[in-house]
Amino acid sequence: MRILGRTLLFAALGASLPLAGVARAATPSGAAPGSSSAGSWSQGSKDLFGAAYESYDEDLKYSARSDTAPISNVWFTGASGILTEVFWPTNDTPQTRDSQLLVTAADRGLFEERRDARRSVRWIERGVPAFRVITEDPGGRFRIEKIIFADPDRDVVLQRLRITRKVGGLRFFVLHNPSAGNTPLGDSAMASTGGAPGAGLFAWQGPFAQALVTSIRWRDATAGFSGTESDGYRDLQNHRTLTAHYRDAKDGDVVLTGELDLPLSPGVCELTLALGFGRDIDEAHRAAQASLGEDPDALLDRYRAQWRAYQASLRPLGSASPDLARLYRSSVAVMKSLEDRAHPGAFIASPSVPWGDVRLDRASAISPRTSSTITGGYHLVWPRDLSQIALALLAAGDTRSPVAAMRFMKGIQLSASDGTWDFGSLHVSKEGSFYQNTWSDGEPYWRGLELDQVAQPIDLCYHVVEERLVAAGACWDLARRAADFLVAFGPWTPLDRWEEVSGVSPSTLAFVCTALVHAAEIAGAMGDPEREARYRETAERWARQIDGWTFTTQGGTANGRYFVRVDGTGSPDAPRDPNDERRYVLRGRSWLERDIVDCGFLRLVVLGVRPALAANIADSLAACDAALRVEVPGVGPGFYRYVGDGYGFDPLSGERTGGMLWPILTGERAEYELARALEKPSSPAAARKRMRPYLDAMGRFATSSQMLPEQVFDRGPRAGQPTGSAAPLGWAHAELVLALRAHDDATLFRRPMSSAGGATRGDATPRGTSAAPPLRD
């Protein structure tokens, strides 16, 4: 039996039942007083995230020729049991802050779903990102059950509600906070219980409009400004009902409140809320009403079927445990949902603004292209995160998304006309490089430079060629231009992978050297022996020098012997001596370069630049574990990013916590443990066993709704639970999938550097990772 199927009661509610003992409210009219100067976003840690699955057409685009057309262009998130940011028409443009139910009774205060409810969130089925959310009054007066999903054919998010009232006198309101055009400010709103364009709660800014409508009538509604006397939330706090009925609120942080026309007597009611989008409120209203005009069961069945078909095309990874197999399916759905539809292959990092509850946004421009202060959050494209996600989808068996991602990266690659990178003595054309991150249309947001983010798209190219998804010629332009840039600019990077300091970084060099060797193989396949030799020679030369540049013998942790986070900070001309007295500043504190331990050196092993059993790797592993490893009770091993990390906030207090544990790093350790096992005579079962504690910990770091966060708490009653940081984080889900593929195959999925590395200073152990197979054209 379907919990939210159509029933006789639902049909009756469509005509609206009378509210016994309550007079119908006045029609909203007039303009709300007040204004707003600052707004904030919802919390960064999401309990749910999804979108309709859409298939590519034959040109790897989303169009009327796609098998799943018409295309749905909405993405939804939720936290604390309520709907939070909804994105439209692209995956980087949030249009709402949140939308929740409020409940009043004559003898009780105001009940707020996000604050007061006892709640649970579950996927409706494995691998299908539609969610069953239950919020309950701790006092037992009522229960609200929702199924949240997107209309698979329209730009509409649906919430199917079943409200069980166990006592009489309860009144239910919808509080809707728009943030049209990716800013809480500059919006206009209208509340209507009838008349053109129809009954609903409306908001707009420029070409971004939305309409929240319901399958039953609105009894009452008002528009106002958040935090002012016209705010419906304040009105309900003070009076338990709406005493003000404003039709309009213009140019500010607007808020909309409407009362649902539900009976006051105990009973069960079912209804649907539809949030539609369009270029104006008429178009948005038509979209929402069209969704309400269809059988909600049929819409949900179509939504399920499209996701089921995609999941059926993938590898059945997750042999380690049933829980990890379930998380694998969720991870694939999360990653695929991060892709834009207008710009195929544009995978954003996360659909959140980290620490949004404590982050104010004072921008009022409707376009993120014209305001330097408008919030990008994590709903931006990072070349690193995109490459990781695309490789993970490839590891899962998706053969089309990685090619779309490669094409997107080729489209946003910089050219000579973009100018030069100027750092000290370095003045190098931007030709072939990538900006730190961009919007999903390729417009830059942060204009920094990280060499690992130039290198990783080369590896993505290499892997799609190796999998015979494209010919080498399809990748050559991207790989050639990026590799030429790396040779001209490296090995010093203006930003390491944590985007905070410059220098020579073991982690960055692992990606750079591997990418150059892979570019050399593509060059060979393309008949360019000069570039093939230059790329390979550069990679081998830099790989031989990594230890001399970044391995200290006089550090302050363990036996003092380990790879430092970076060396030669501040300038490409700085000395590269890991034993010198050079310092840099982290979060206001001065540190010796040689005292900053991180575990990024593990990428040297996983990418085949150093053997797992090398002496310098073993010493560094001991330092990493001594300084950064935490055994979380009941969860397993977690790792800080580096000594002195200060990047973190407590979502409850809004105060800085310092850096917390990153699940990504637990996944990276799992891959290292496999590489280490493969260098010893051992069975596949023994190799997999070494990975299990780390894979199991990653699984336990996921929320109950299968979202992997950027960070989790390191201790106390919330140990192992998400901080206020971004969740879901695509990079974390990608790392899990790559580690699960490695576990099931008992071999690393990433093809390693084929000939660079070997015995270098401090590394007497011969390289044990097998060479990559020859490139196929």
Side-chain angles (χ1 to χ4, degrees):
M1 175 180 176
R2 293 186 184 277
I3 294 178
L4 294 180
R6 291 194 175 210
T7 63
L8 290 176
L9 177 60
F10 179 74
L13 284 172
S16 184
L17 296 177
L19 273 168
V22 179
R24 186 161 297 280
T27 300
S29 63
S35 63
S36 303
S37 60
S40 65
W41 294 99
S42 188
Q43 68 192 71
S45 181
K46 307 301 181 185
D47 299 322
L48 55 95
F49 167 61
Y53 172 77
E54 302 292 355
S55 63
Y56 299 114
D57 63 19
E58 61 269 26
D59 297 321
L60 288 182
K61 296 180 180 179
Y62 294 106
S63 74
R65 294 178 290 117
S66 300
D67 291 340
T68 56
I71 303 299
S72 173
N73 293 294
V74 289
W75 296 258
F76 61 88
T77 70
S80 300
I82 68 170
L83 193 68
T84 53
E85 289 94 340
V86 176
F87 296 77
W88 173 88
T90 54
N91 62 352
D92 60 0
T93 311
Q95 303 290 349
T96 65
R97 181 185 187 273
D98 56 47
S99 193
Q100 64 172 319
L101 293 186
L102 307 176
V103 186
T104 67
D107 59 340
R108 298 285 291 272
L110 176 67
F111 174 92
E112 182 181 350
E113 264 193 302
R114 72 180 300 166
R115 182 191 64 193
D116 302 319
R118 185 170 60 237
R119 54 187 172 263
S120 65
V121 180
R122 294 289 185 274
W123 294 58
I124 60 167
E125 68 176 74
R126 182 180 297 194
V128 177
F131 299 86
R132 179 173 286 108
V133 181
I134 297 174
T135 55
E136 298 180 275
D137 173 30
R141 295 175 298 161
F142 56 87
R143 169 188 169 102
I144 303 166
E145 183 171 353
K146 312 170 196 172
I147 291 182
I148 303 175
F149 65 104
D151 186 321
D153 298 325
R154 299 179 184 88
D155 298 344
V156 179
V157 174
L158 296 165
Q159 297 185 78
R160 296 175 55 193
L161 275 63
R162 179 184 177 93
I163 300 175
T164 302
R165 306 176 312 284
K166 299 180 181 179
V167 300
L170 301 175
R171 302 174 68 173
F172 291 81
F173 301 81
V174 176
L175 180 70
H176 182 65
N177 284 280
S179 293
N182 192 20
T183 170
L185 298 182
D187 292 349
S188 294
M190 181 180 76
S192 173
T193 54
L201 306 179
F202 302 90
W204 65 94
Q205 184 177 168
F208 307 112
Q210 58 192 271
L212 180 60
V213 302
T214 173
S215 58
I216 65 172
R217 289 189 296 192
W218 295 103
R219 179 183 175 274
D220 201 355
T222 188
F225 293 99
S226 181
T228 71
E229 291 305 314
S230 64
D231 187 340
Y233 177 80
R234 281 196 176 186
D235 203 4
L236 293 175
Q237 279 185 315
N238 295 331
H239 305 104
R240 310 293 184 266
T241 188
L242 293 176
T243 61
H245 308 91
Y246 300 111
R247 178 178 173 83
D248 302 302
K250 294 185 178 180
D251 193 18
D253 183 9
V254 299
V255 61
L256 290 148
T257 312
E259 182 175 2
L260 297 169
D261 198 357
L262 297 177
L264 292 178
S265 57
V268 179
C269 298
E270 297 182 354
L271 63 136
T272 302
L273 293 174
L275 178 61
F277 297 90
R279 290 165 294 182
D280 54 45
I281 59 174
D282 292 282
E283 185 174 276
H285 186 259
R286 286 195 301 270
Q289 288 290 77
S291 292
L292 290 183
E294 287 205 47
D295 183 342
D297 283 343
L299 287 175
L300 183 57
D301 285 347
R302 198 149 69 241
Y303 184 92
R304 290 179 194 254
Q306 291 175 186
W307 273 108
R308 286 172 177 166
Y310 175 68
Q311 292 279 4
S313 71
L314 305 178
R315 289 173 172 265
L317 300 181
S319 64
S321 73
D323 286 344
L324 287 170
R326 181 168 55 253
L327 181 56
Y328 160 64
R329 292 294 178 180
S330 301
S331 295
V332 171
V334 164
M335 290 189 294
K336 186 60 179 170
S337 295
L338 290 168
E339 184 187 18
D340 192 40
R341 305 282 159 73
H343 310 95
F347 290 87
I348 58 173
S350 175
S352 68
V353 179
W355 311 292
D357 278 338
V358 297
R359 181 169 183 167
L360 296 181
D361 188 342
R362 293 182 172 83
S364 59
I366 65 168
S367 171
R369 315 300 179 239
T370 60
S371 173
S372 61
T373 57
I374 202 163
T375 300
Y378 274 20
H379 43 87
L380 296 162
V381 176
W382 271 261
R384 172 197 54 240
D385 297 58
L386 179 146
S387 296
Q388 290 284 108
I389 290 167
L391 280 176
L393 290 174
L394 182 62
D398 181 340
T399 59
R400 307 198 76 195
S401 299
V403 179
M406 178 203 73
R407 289 184 180 179
F408 175 81
M409 291 307 301
K410 184 177 178 180
I412 69 170
Q413 196 169 19
L414 299 178
S415 67
S417 64
D418 290 301
T420 60
W421 294 109
D422 299 301
F423 298 94
S425 62
L426 276 176
H427 305 282
V428 178
S429 170
K430 291 182 179 179
E431 166 72 24
S433 63
F434 299 93
Y435 283 122
Q436 189 174 353
N437 54 35
T438 72
W439 299 97
S440 59
D441 66 357
E443 184 73 18
Y445 184 69
W446 288 340
R447 296 172 180 260
L449 172 65
E450 301 174 50
L451 291 199
D452 67 309
Q453 296 209 111
V454 181
Q456 292 191 55
I458 297 175
D459 281 334
L460 173 59
C461 266
Y462 178 79
H463 281 80
V464 298
V465 171
E466 276 291 286
E467 294 291 328
R468 299 181 185 274
L469 305 183
V470 299
C475 271
W476 177 228
D477 184 65
L478 185 154
R480 172 183 55 78
R481 294 169 62 210
D484 283 351
F485 175 81
L486 290 173
V487 170
F489 191 97
W492 182 88
T493 181
L495 292 170
D496 72 342
R497 73 165 173 169
W498 302 125
E499 304 179 305
E500 295 171 328
V501 295
S502 62
V504 179
S505 157
S507 172
T508 298
L509 279 174
F511 282 107
V512 168
C513 292
T514 303
L516 285 175
V517 169
H518 289 167
E521 296 195 15
I522 299 174
M526 294 302 299
D528 191 334
E530 186 277 327
R531 278 191 169 88
E532 179 182 14
R534 176 158 31 105
Y535 297 161
R536 195 176 298 278
E537 184 279 329
T538 302
E540 292 176 351
R541 175 163 42 85
W542 289 350
R544 285 193 299 269
Q545 296 179 86
I546 289 173
D547 298 65
W549 287 337
T550 66
F551 187 85
T552 184
T553 59
Q554 300 175 32
T557 299
N559 66 358
R561 297 174 54 86
Y562 49 80
F563 286 102
V564 299
R565 176 189 175 185
V566 291
D567 198 85
T569 56
S571 165
D573 303 315
R576 297 168 192 166
D577 179 358
N579 292 318
D580 63 18
E581 299 295 316
R582 192 172 180 82
R583 292 178 172 271
Y584 60 96
V585 175
L586 286 174
R587 306 292 175 184
R589 179 179 171 184
S590 176
W591 296 83
L592 285 169
E593 288 178 338
R594 66 176 187 244
D595 285 345
I596 303 297
V597 179
D598 87 343
C599 302
F601 68 90
L602 293 177
R603 297 289 89 184
L604 294 170
V605 174
V606 171
L607 295 173
V609 183
R610 287 290 182 275
L613 300 179
N616 286 357
I617 295 292
D619 285 339
S620 298
L621 194 68
C624 167
D625 284 349
L628 304 173
R629 180 170 178 149
V630 174
E631 292 296 328
V632 181
V635 177
F639 298 86
Y640 301 110
R641 291 193 300 174
Y642 54 81
V643 170
D645 187 7
Y647 180 67
F649 280 83
D650 187 320
L652 299 182
S653 66
E655 299 297 323
R656 280 197 177 274
T657 61
M660 290 292 162
L661 309 177
W662 287 57
I664 292 168
L665 301 179
T666 297
E668 291 185 356
R669 182 60 173 266
E671 290 188 287
Y672 162 79
E673 293 294 339
L674 176 63
R676 183 174 184 270
L678 293 175
E679 288 190 14
K680 293 182 175 181
S682 61
S683 67
R688 293 187 183 105
K689 185 176 180 180
R690 292 195 65 90
M691 299 184 73
R692 280 297 303 276
Y694 304 95
L695 292 176
D696 289 343
M698 273 202 91
R700 296 181 188 120
F701 287 140
T703 67
S704 61
S705 58
Q706 306 286 289
M707 301 292 151
L708 276 169
E710 179 186 67
Q711 298 180 52
V712 297
F713 285 105
D714 56 351
R715 62 176 69 88
R718 290 182 286 172
Q721 298 177 20
T723 67
S725 61
L729 184 67
W731 185 3
H733 285 280
E735 183 56 47
L736 173 78
V737 171
L738 288 165
L740 289 177
R741 174 68 186 267
H743 173 275
D744 284 15
D745 291 352
T747 189
L748 294 169
F749 177 73
R750 291 180 178 88
R751 289 173 172 84
M753 184 175 174
S754 60
S755 64
T760 62
R761 189 187 325 184
D763 276 357
T765 309
R767 192 168 162 269
T769 307
S770 60
L775 190 77
R776 297 184 292 266
D777 192 3

